[in-house]
Amino acid sequence: MTHLLILGAGFSGKAIGDVFKEAGFSVSGTTRSAEKAESLRALGIEPLLYDGGTISEALAADMARATHVVQSIAPGKDGDPLFRAGSPALSVLMPKLEWAGYLSTVGVYGDHKGAWVDEETVLNPVSARSVERVEAEDHWLDFGKASGLPVAVLRLSGIYGPGRNALRNMEDGTARRLIKPEQVFNRIRVEDIGRSAPFLAGKRLGGVWNITDHEPGPPQDVVAEAARLMGVPVPPDIPFETAELSPMARSFYGENKRVSNAKLRAAGFEFRFPNYRQSLADLWSSGRWRG
């Protein structure tokens, strides 16, 4: 029986679990709270409580039967929870493992002043959280090399989808058009993340993969497109220099790059939502934008 364990079954993890279930896998996922555990159960994902620390007997038993794993838990200062000092070897925890996916971020590339980057680009992480991601990536890739198993690092760009998008922000009154000249971002619809992991697993592909749309663009253009679809006024421009932002939000604007997905497309993956315009139109017309 093929079994997927999702470590950190959040927005992206649940989307991945949906597609694996459609392929006939049994799926389990970890969460930190009993309340979220029930929401996972309602989606057909067997819930397991895990805070990234001690591995319970139930989680250990699930790991022992996992043929596939997706790790979505952020590493933090202590590193990836599965590669911390004193942790049992992954090959011991998951003896039946056939494929592993690690969800990382395009933040590991750092700032490239709007230039294109791909999987061969030298990493230059700026923020502490991106430095931690690079270390975690290395642990997973080294495990793949040592074990001979395909281990894929999925570098995700800005994630959005049902319930988390510019249309919802417009309705909530939180949409803002922050203007920073020449700034662009890539994005990725959560359902395409969900499809990319089983695509790589099915082909037993490891290595690094950018999971991102075709079209990096200015963030204010996404807000304008949402307003156009909804038939409401476009929010006023706000110069980035005068905007009130959290330190984390401001740090995102300190990195400017265009991320290529050419490698994934060359492998045969077809994006269902290749750009934000097509994706927002789908969310609006289907009514799924509210989640």
Side-chain angles (χ1 to χ4, degrees):
M1 182 67 162
T2 47
H3 177 69
L4 170 69
L5 168 61
I6 306 165
L7 295 165
F11 194 45
S12 298
K14 286 185 283 191
I16 290 170
D18 283 343
V19 185
F20 270 97
K21 281 190 302 174
E22 291 173 2
F25 281 66
S26 60
V27 178
S28 60
T30 71
T31 183
R32 290 175 176 268
S33 73
E35 180 182 354
K36 290 181 179 179
E38 289 309 308
S39 68
L40 289 179
R41 196 186 306 278
L43 294 172
I45 298 175
E46 180 184 345
L48 296 157
L49 293 179
Y50 179 52
D51 62 1
T54 302
I55 296 173
S56 67
E57 289 185 10
L59 179 54
D62 201 87
M63 287 179 165
R65 70 185 179 112
T67 57
H68 295 66
V69 65
V70 168
Q71 159 62 317
S72 181
I73 299 173
K77 294 180 180 179
D78 296 328
D80 189 285
L82 295 186
F83 291 98
R84 290 173 185 160
S87 297
L90 200 57
S91 57
V92 174
L93 289 170
M94 301 185 188
K96 296 182 179 179
L97 198 61
E98 299 174 8
W99 179 88
Y102 177 69
L103 302 191
S104 186
T105 167
V106 298
V108 298
Y109 293 112
D111 180 34
H112 289 265
K113 303 186 185 305
W116 282 96
V117 300
D118 61 22
E119 290 85 351
E120 300 301 318
T121 300
V122 175
L123 303 184
N124 183 32
V126 176
S127 66
R129 64 182 180 276
S130 292
V131 172
E132 293 162 358
R133 287 286 188 185
V134 172
E135 182 182 359
E137 284 189 6
D138 288 344
H139 278 303
W140 280 95
L141 292 170
D142 288 346
F143 164 70
K145 292 174 185 176
S147 64
L149 292 174
V151 174
V153 169
L154 286 69
R155 291 178 179 158
L156 311 179
S157 56
I159 305 166
Y160 71 104
R164 299 187 188 185
N165 55 74
L167 297 162
R168 181 71 181 266
N169 294 343
M170 289 292 298
E171 183 181 56
D172 293 345
T174 59
R176 295 192 293 174
R177 280 174 48 87
L178 299 181
I179 309 298
K180 185 179 182 184
E182 307 301 323
Q183 179 73 50
V184 295
F185 292 112
N186 282 76
R187 299 155 192 87
I188 185 67
R189 179 80 173 254
V190 71
E191 291 96 330
D192 276 336
I193 297 174
R195 295 171 56 246
S196 68
F199 170 83
L200 294 171
K203 291 181 174 290
R204 294 186 59 81
L205 291 172
V208 177
W209 302 87
N210 290 332
I211 313 297
T212 183
D213 62 6
H214 299 5
E215 189 178 326
Q220 64 268 23
D221 290 3
V222 181
V223 177
E225 180 64 9
R228 186 191 70 79
L229 287 166
M230 300 177 83
V232 298
V234 177
D237 292 356
I238 302 174
F240 174 76
E241 294 76 13
T242 61
E244 293 184 6
L245 296 171
S246 68
M248 179 174 286
R250 188 167 291 276
S251 73
F252 286 126
Y253 279 80
E255 300 178 14
N256 188 16
K257 54 188 167 285
R258 290 172 166 83
V259 184
S260 170
N261 64 14
K263 179 181 176 181
L264 186 61
R265 282 196 278 173
F269 184 77
E270 295 183 5
F271 285 80
R272 189 168 293 167
F273 304 102
N275 60 64
Y276 70 85
R277 290 182 305 279
Q278 181 179 332
S279 182
L280 288 178
D282 168 80
L283 288 168
W284 179 249
S285 63
S286 68
R288 299 180 63 227
W289 57 281
R290 286 195 175 98

